[in-house]
Amino acid sequence: MRYELLKLMDGREVFSGGLAGRKLLTALIDATPPLKEPTASFLDFQGVKVATSSFLREAIIGFRDYARRSLANVYPVAANLDPVVLEELEFFLQARNDVFWVCDVDAHGQASGARLVGDLDPAQRSTFETIRELGSVTAPELAARFPDERIGPTAWNNRLSSLAAKGLVVERKAGKTKSFSPVLETA
């Protein structure tokens, strides 16, 4: 799924202010159909020259947080960011100790250069890197794989769930167990 933000913002190339961010958040929610399968939802910044932290907080982080609470299969990803917009997003995320997927998306919807911007604490970073390495993992698998760390399945599940809440990994229920995999492949 792809949202052309320039169109949703009536062609304006400068995105500023919390009020404008909340208006875009409303438009994103209205434009999002219910999905049956986990789907990367690209917030396409193509043509956007400036986006302020207050705008990003309300629109982009707001949409990610709304999606993680209310749209189980929607995983927002920021795409095609101008270097100035990317710098502002990165600065904003680091100040919040938060993280977000970014990538480039071509005209056919193919993602490339996927990476995380912002900060994860060391435990979250290590857990994310393990998920990325393995492709898909469950909490009991992590507990068995790292017995020396003396972290039980419940603690691993908490770490995995916190990454899912940030929209970094897809959470799939399989019986009583949940498996987790990266939303995008990282470069």
Side-chain angles (χ1 to χ4, degrees):
M1 184 174 352
R2 186 177 190 168
Y3 304 92
E4 294 181 57
L5 301 187
L6 205 60
K7 285 184 182 177
L8 290 172
M9 293 296 290
D10 299 322
R12 289 186 300 170
E13 296 176 344
V14 175
F15 293 179
S16 65
L19 181 60
R22 285 188 294 279
K23 285 181 181 180
L24 179 59
L25 172 60
T26 300
L28 291 168
I29 292 168
D30 289 346
T32 306
L35 300 171
K36 293 182 191 261
E37 294 296 320
T39 304
S41 300
F42 299 108
L43 304 171
D44 190 348
F45 279 81
Q46 186 71 43
V48 176
K49 302 296 181 210
V50 174
T52 65
S53 289
S54 58
F55 179 89
L56 294 168
R57 179 189 66 235
E58 297 299 325
I60 306 311
I61 303 304
F63 185 59
R64 187 235 8 229
D65 293 347
Y66 177 82
R68 298 311 334 124
R69 285 189 314 271
S70 304
L71 304 169
N73 289 317
V74 175
Y75 292 86
V77 175
N80 301 327
L81 285 90
D82 181 273
V84 171
V85 176
L86 178 60
E87 181 180 5
E88 185 69 20
L89 178 62
E90 199 160 15
F91 176 79
F92 171 72
L93 291 168
Q94 287 174 346
R96 289 174 47 113
N97 289 327
D98 204 350
V99 68
F100 207 87
W101 278 109
V102 299
C103 69
D104 293 316
V105 176
D106 65 21
H108 305 290
Q110 296 298 312
S112 62
R115 64 199 182 284
L116 299 180
V117 294
D119 285 327
L120 287 171
D121 69 45
Q124 289 176 325
R125 173 64 67 184
S126 172
T127 303
F128 178 79
E129 291 301 327
T130 301
I131 297 167
R132 189 181 63 76
E133 177 186 318
L134 298 175
S136 181
V137 71
T138 65
E141 289 170 347
L142 288 173
R145 185 176 177 94
F146 299 105
D148 294 343
E149 292 191 29
R150 299 191 175 154
I151 300 172
T154 300
W156 281 113
N157 192 61
N158 291 342
R159 283 189 188 181
L160 293 166
S161 293
S162 73
L163 293 172
K166 291 180 180 289
L168 306 181
V169 296
V170 173
E171 181 179 349
R172 290 182 176 92
K173 199 161 188 147
K176 292 182 178 182
T177 305
K178 296 176 187 173
S179 69
F180 298 82
S181 58
V183 170
L184 297 174
E185 290 301 316
T186 52

